[in-house]
Amino acid sequence: MRKIKTLHFLTCKSSLFSPIEPLTKQPHHCYTQRFSYVEVKMKWKKDRYLDSLPVLDKIHDLKAIFAVKDYIIKEPDFCIPISCISKKNFELGIPIRVATFLRKYPTIFKEVTGEKYNLPWFRLTQEAIDLDSEEQAVYQNHLSDFIDRLKKLLFMTKEKRLPLQIIEGMRWYLGLPKEYLKVLKINSSGSFSLYDMVDGKQGLSLNCEALEVPISFIQQKSMREGSYREGGPIAFSLYPSKGLRLKRKIENWVEELQNLPYISPYEDPSDLNPNSDISEKRVVGVLHELLGLFVENLGERKKLLFLKKQLGLPQKFHKAFERHPHIFYLSLRNKTCHVILKEAYNKDSMIEKHPILGVRKKFMKLMDESKTVIVSKRHKKPAESDDEKDERCNGDLPAEWESGEEEENLI
């Protein structure tokens, strides 16, 4: 049974703003808004195309594969005993039993017998080693792109800085290398600096005095289309899901919202009324820009909540994902709520593809090939000899057989 969500929309009884001077000359706080809250019940509409994205099914295992791969690649022969991996099970993010997980992907991890104690060892396959070399080459060739993405994330924050713990949580989504701090120290030309926090931990700050204000994806698209006007309205690209229809009052509200001035996520929003529609448009712009920086242009909703305070977002900013189903899509695959930027998965998207995306897609292809290898091994399994059958039959009986449950089921 589908859940019915109650969404609160802002609709205007009259014109949204009453500017005294032309739009481009007025600060944002000089516009007076007259609105009323309207309670609207709206069903969540499933989008089969976005729900079928392969990354939604593979992202949890893919993270663990990259973590284990980075751990094994440090070894001289790219080979390590399973005991060493088991000790770092939680740190590597392996979702299931270590041996089961590694044997699940034989095209990436090859099982071998150790020299001592007959313990299982795992070695990276040649395909995985080649993809790791390709990954390192991407980091070297597109270093400026990775630095710019981190700069933009810090530029969007109120204080132009973030705790390292939060950056580490966003590292996968931003596609940053594991040793990104060392890379920044060598190649950032003093744009970044570490600072000490009250709790004894460290954070990363952006020295933005000499830096230009970044241009958002929305602004870049408007410039390419030749319709950009500084301080003027910029409409978001809308991508309705098949069968999704909004009520007339909501459509009117969305249309009015599109005609409001666009507030760049890199501008100071302190002069905005948090209960106004223009503040709502700024929140949508921040979330749009943030997802545009991510590798797959999607992320777990609960992970995005950690950025609320730093990005200056309102208490229930996550409701924007529900209020704007033509811009964002909430996928509930595998009992995890992912927020997807719909524009990134359309043919006319102008959002630049992340450089590391190609490497991740190749690893996902190896994950698919692993299933084929496992199935083929099962079909080619040699027949059991009579002695092996006798030995198997003389073993312990299943518990349900001994208790007589199986016999009762047959009767």
Side-chain angles (χ1 to χ4, degrees), residues 176-363:
L176 299 176
K178 188 174 183 180
E179 304 294 336
Y180 69 93
L181 287 178
K182 294 181 180 179
V183 175
L184 294 178
K185 187 177 181 179
I186 300 173
N187 301 279
S188 63
S189 303
S191 299
F192 301 91
S193 59
L194 294 173
Y195 69 94
D196 296 325
M197 301 173 60
V198 178
D199 57 1
K201 298 180 181 179
Q202 286 189 317
L204 186 68
S205 63
L206 179 66
N207 305 321
C208 54
E209 290 80 6
L211 298 177
E212 296 182 358
V213 178
I215 302 175
S216 68
F217 294 115
I218 296 294
Q219 290 173 320
Q220 292 177 18
K221 182 178 180 180
S222 180
M223 290 176 180
R224 292 171 186 170
E225 295 173 349
S227 59
Y228 178 74
R229 183 166 57 93
E230 185 176 357
I234 303 179
F236 294 102
S237 298
L238 304 180
Y239 300 91
S241 297
K242 187 176 181 180
L244 177 62
R245 296 180 180 179
L246 303 180
K247 292 184 178 180
R248 180 59 61 87
K249 61 175 71 174
I250 306 177
E251 290 182 348
N252 294 338
W253 175 75
V254 171
E255 184 178 353
E256 292 284 354
L257 197 74
Q258 294 279 55
N259 294 326
L260 296 182
Y262 173 78
I263 309 300
S264 171
Y266 305 108
E267 293 182 21
D268 182 13
S270 57
D271 61 344
L272 295 179
N273 180 359
N275 295 322
S276 63
D277 276 357
I278 195 170
S279 180
E280 171 83 1
K281 187 168 184 177
R282 186 254 173 188
V283 170
V284 175
V286 170
L287 299 175
H288 184 284
E289 186 74 6
L290 183 63
L291 292 173
L293 295 175
F294 289 174
V295 178
E296 292 91 1
N297 304 120
L298 57 83
E300 286 188 53
R301 185 173 64 172
K302 65 179 181 180
K303 293 287 184 68
L304 302 181
L305 297 179
F306 291 107
L307 295 171
K308 177 187 66 177
K309 180 180 178 181
Q310 285 75 15
L311 296 179
L313 299 174
Q315 181 68 24
K316 296 183 178 181
F317 77 92
H318 58 277
K319 293 292 184 180
F321 298 133
E322 304 169 4
R323 288 196 290 264
H324 302 276
H326 291 350
I327 301 175
F328 309 108
Y329 176 69
L330 294 176
S331 175
L332 306 177
R333 288 291 298 273
N334 299 323
K335 299 180 181 180
T336 304
C337 184
H338 282 96
V339 183
I340 303 175
L341 182 61
K342 301 179 78 170
E343 181 179 352
Y345 290 90
N346 280 269
K347 295 180 180 179
D348 61 344
S349 173
M350 293 187 180
I351 297 179
E352 297 179 1
K353 298 297 182 182
H354 199 289
I356 210 66
L357 180 61
V359 176
R360 292 189 181 178
K361 285 184 176 180
K362 291 180 180 180
F363 267 102

Side-chain angles (χ1 to χ4, degrees), residues 131-144:
L131 283 180
D132 179 78
S133 300
E134 183 178 342
E135 180 187 6
Q136 301 308 316
V138 170
Y139 284 133
Q140 291 293 330
N141 298 332
H142 298 85
L143 185 59
S144 59

